[in-house]
């Protein structure tokens, strides 16, 4: 099972971190040991002083595919979930400055929290409203129709390089409003008005 992530897929988030808006999807991966499921607590790691939440829609691949055509891409996923792409922003910033890979800042244990999967109604394609709440206050509010690269665009692009397999998941990017977490914070993820993920930082 593979965990793919798309960086800078919302213009307003790319701008808040002073990053350029990409002309093709920016892809990175997390290992399966990054997964945090069933509303498990996130254990704040000792190696960072600046862990950020990034609330994202996650899609789940439903069958094997390679070099998938755009018209067929919607047939390759059938479930969505809310996810937090936890990021050690201090470490990521140092690595970015040196032009080095991000893995340790993005793929550490527990860095991929996901809620339960919902069946995906293809008529709602790229029109999922989602929100992040921190300690009961809304901090992110996005809609997947604002993505630079749609679910299908991402699947087409990924499948040029990687064979997609049933069970692989894709974090599709975060809107603006990312921020720090502290021990004791409670993060919640909402899709289309429904709370689908809760994660306490310990
Ligand atoms: Zn992200």
């Amino acid at each position: 099972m593979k965990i793919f992530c798309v960086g800078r897929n919302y213009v307003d988030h790319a701008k808040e971190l002073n990053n350029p808006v990409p002309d093709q999807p920016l892809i990175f991966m997390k290992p399966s040991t990054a997964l945090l499921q069933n509303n498990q607590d996130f254990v704040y790691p000792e190696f960072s002083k600046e862990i950020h939440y990034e609330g994202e829609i996650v899609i789940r691949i439903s069958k094997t595919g390679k070099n998938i055509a755009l018209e067929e891409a919607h047939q390759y996923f059938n479930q969505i979930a809310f996810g937090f792409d936890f990021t050690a922003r201090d470490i990521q910033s140092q690595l970015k400055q040196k032009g080095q890979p991000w893995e340790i800042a993005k793929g550490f244990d527990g860095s991929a929290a996901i809620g339960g999967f919902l069946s995906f109604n293809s008529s709602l394609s790229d029109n999922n409203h989602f929100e992040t709440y921190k300690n009961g206050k809304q901090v992110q509010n996005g809609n997947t129709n604002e993505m630079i690269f749609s679910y299908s665009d991402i699947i087409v692009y990924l499948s040029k390089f990687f064979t997609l397999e049933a069970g692989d998941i894709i974090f599709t990017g975060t809107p603006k409003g990312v921020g720090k977490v502290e021990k004791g914070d409670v993060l919640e993820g909402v899709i289309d008005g429904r709370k689908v993920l809760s994660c306490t930082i310990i």
Side-chain angles (χ1 to χ4, degrees), residues 5-8 13 28 54 56 85 87 106 171 173-174:
C5 305
V6 183
R8 305 175 196 166
H13 169 63
F28 57 95
E54 297 186 358
E56 312 199 3
D85 164 17
T87 304
K106 283 285 197 180
F171 281 70
T174 197

Coordinates of all heavy atoms in Angstrom, one line a residue, residues 5-8 13 28 54 56 85 87 106 171 173-174, ligand 1:
C5 N 1.2 12.0 -1.8 CA 0.7 13.3 -1.4 C 1.0 14.3 -2.5 O 2.0 14.2 -3.2 CB 1.4 13.8 -0.2 SG 1.3 12.7 1.2
V6 N 0.1 15.3 -2.7 CA 0.3 16.3 -3.6 C 0.5 17.6 -2.8 O -0.2 18.0 -2.0 CB -1.0 16.5 -4.5 CG1 -0.7 17.6 -5.6 CG2 -1.4 15.2 -5.2
G7 N 1.6 18.3 -3.2 CA 2.0 19.5 -2.5 C 1.5 20.7 -3.3 O 1.3 20.6 -4.6
R8 N 1.2 21.8 -2.7 CA 0.8 23.1 -3.4 C -0.3 22.9 -4.4 O -0.1 23.4 -5.5 CB 2.1 23.7 -4.0 CG 3.2 23.8 -3.0 CD 4.5 24.3 -3.7 NE 5.6 24.1 -2.8 CZ 6.9 24.1 -3.2 NH1 7.2 24.4 -4.4 NH2 7.9 23.9 -2.3
H13 N -2.8 28.4 -0.6 CA -1.8 27.8 0.3 C -0.4 27.9 -0.2 O 0.5 28.2 0.5 CB -2.2 26.3 0.5 CG -1.1 25.6 1.2 ND1 -0.7 25.9 2.5 CD2 -0.2 24.6 0.9 CE1 0.3 25.1 2.9 NE2 0.6 24.3 1.9
F28 N 4.9 13.8 -3.4 CA 5.9 13.1 -2.5 C 5.1 12.0 -1.9 O 3.9 11.8 -2.1 CB 6.4 14.1 -1.4 CG 5.4 14.8 -0.6 CD1 5.0 14.3 0.6 CD2 4.8 16.0 -1.0 CE1 4.0 15.0 1.4 CE2 3.8 16.6 -0.3 CZ 3.4 16.1 1.0
E54 N -2.1 19.9 8.1 CA -2.6 20.2 6.8 C -3.8 19.4 6.6 O -3.7 18.2 6.4 CB -1.5 20.0 5.7 CG -0.3 20.8 5.8 CD 0.7 20.6 4.7 OE1 0.4 19.8 3.8 OE2 1.7 21.3 4.7
E56 N -6.7 17.7 4.5 CA -6.8 17.4 3.1 C -7.9 16.4 2.8 O -8.2 15.5 3.7 CB -5.4 16.8 2.6 CG -4.3 17.7 3.1 CD -3.0 17.5 2.3 OE1 -3.0 16.7 1.4 OE2 -2.0 18.1 2.7
D85 N -2.1 15.7 6.9 CA -0.8 15.6 6.5 C 0.1 16.3 7.5 O 0.3 17.5 7.3 CB -0.6 16.1 5.0 CG 0.8 16.3 4.6 OD1 1.7 15.8 5.2 OD2 1.0 17.1 3.6
T87 N 3.2 17.8 9.3 CA 4.5 18.2 8.7 C 5.4 18.8 9.7 O 4.9 19.7 10.5 CB 4.2 19.3 7.6 OG1 3.3 18.7 6.6 CG2 5.5 19.7 6.9
K106 N 8.1 14.8 6.4 CA 6.7 14.5 5.9 C 6.3 13.1 6.2 O 5.1 12.8 6.2 CB 6.7 14.8 4.4 CG 6.5 16.3 4.0 CD 5.1 16.8 4.3 CE 4.8 18.1 3.6 NZ 3.5 18.6 3.8
F171 N -3.2 11.9 -0.7 CA -3.6 13.2 -0.1 C -3.5 14.2 -1.2 O -2.5 14.4 -1.9 CB -2.5 13.5 1.0 CG -2.7 12.8 2.3 CD1 -2.4 11.4 2.4 CD2 -3.1 13.5 3.4 CE1 -2.6 10.8 3.6 CE2 -3.3 12.8 4.7 CZ -3.0 11.5 4.8
G173 N -3.9 17.6 -1.2 CA -3.4 18.9 -1.0 C -4.2 19.7 0.0 O -5.4 19.3 0.3
T174 N -3.7 20.8 0.5 CA -4.3 21.5 1.6 C -4.6 22.9 1.2 O -3.8 23.6 0.4 CB -3.5 21.5 2.9 OG1 -4.2 21.9 4.0 CG2 -2.3 22.4 2.8
Ligands
LIG1 ZN1 -0.1 18.4 2.4

